């Protein structure tokens, strides 16, 4: 299993994600982003594509959907914090959105 991100990795890997709308979650080693789509079908289409990638990557988001909004939180439960798996999934989700 991949380990938690080091301080160097956090600077290198998380900064670009923070510039893309991801943010650190308060009180927890996790990152979160809110995606807004044009309508429900677009939002759910994104979730469908992301779900198939998540399964392929064996790394799964915590997320909620309300109409055209999708709120995503990423953290590695097995490591109790952020790992490269979260970085990889965040990047992938941004390409799919
Ligand atoms: C058994 C299975 O490989 C693990 O439970 C995987 C599945 N998906 C996962 N997803 C996330 N976000 N964190 C994990 O630790 C995790 N572990």
């Amino acid at each position: 299993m991949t380990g938690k991100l080091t301080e160097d990795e956090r600077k290198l890997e998380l900064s670009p994600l923070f510039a893309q709308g991801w943010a650190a979650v308060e009180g927890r080693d996790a990152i979160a982003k809110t995606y807004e789509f044009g309508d429900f079908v677009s939002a759910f289409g994104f979730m469908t594509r992301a779900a198939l990638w998540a399964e392929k990557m064996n790394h799964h988001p915590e997320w909620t959907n309300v109409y055209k909004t999708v709120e995503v939180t990423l953290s590695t439960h097995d490591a109790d914090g952020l790992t490269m798996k979260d970085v990889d999934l965040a990047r992938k989700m941004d390409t799919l959105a």
Side-chain angles (χ1 to χ4, degrees):
M1 191 188 62
T2 50
K4 282 216 253 187
L5 295 179
T6 64
E7 286 309 315
D8 283 354
E9 284 172 331
R10 282 163 199 268
K11 288 196 187 79
L12 192 69
E13 311 288 356
L14 295 183
S15 303
L17 292 176
F18 292 159
Q20 289 296 318
W22 292 90
V25 173
E26 189 78 21
R28 178 177 179 203
D29 192 21
I31 53 173
K33 179 171 177 174
T34 300
Y35 293 95
E36 287 279 348
F37 296 90
D39 56 22
F40 174 73
V41 170
S42 301
F44 202 79
F46 162 73
M47 294 180 84
T48 304
R49 296 190 299 278
L52 296 176
W53 273 102
E55 187 62 14
K56 199 187 302 238
M57 296 165 87
N58 191 31
H59 197 62
H60 303 86
E62 302 169 27
W63 54 4
T64 61
N65 162 237
V66 177
Y67 181 33
K68 57 187 182 176
T69 302
V70 180
E71 291 185 3
V72 179
T73 298
L74 299 180
S75 187
T76 302
H77 309 128
D78 297 341
D80 198 31
L82 286 166
T83 68
M84 277 309 295
K85 288 186 164 197
D86 301 299
V87 171
D88 291 343
L89 184 55
R91 288 198 190 120
K92 176 54 75 175
M93 290 178 112
D94 282 349
T95 70
L96 297 174

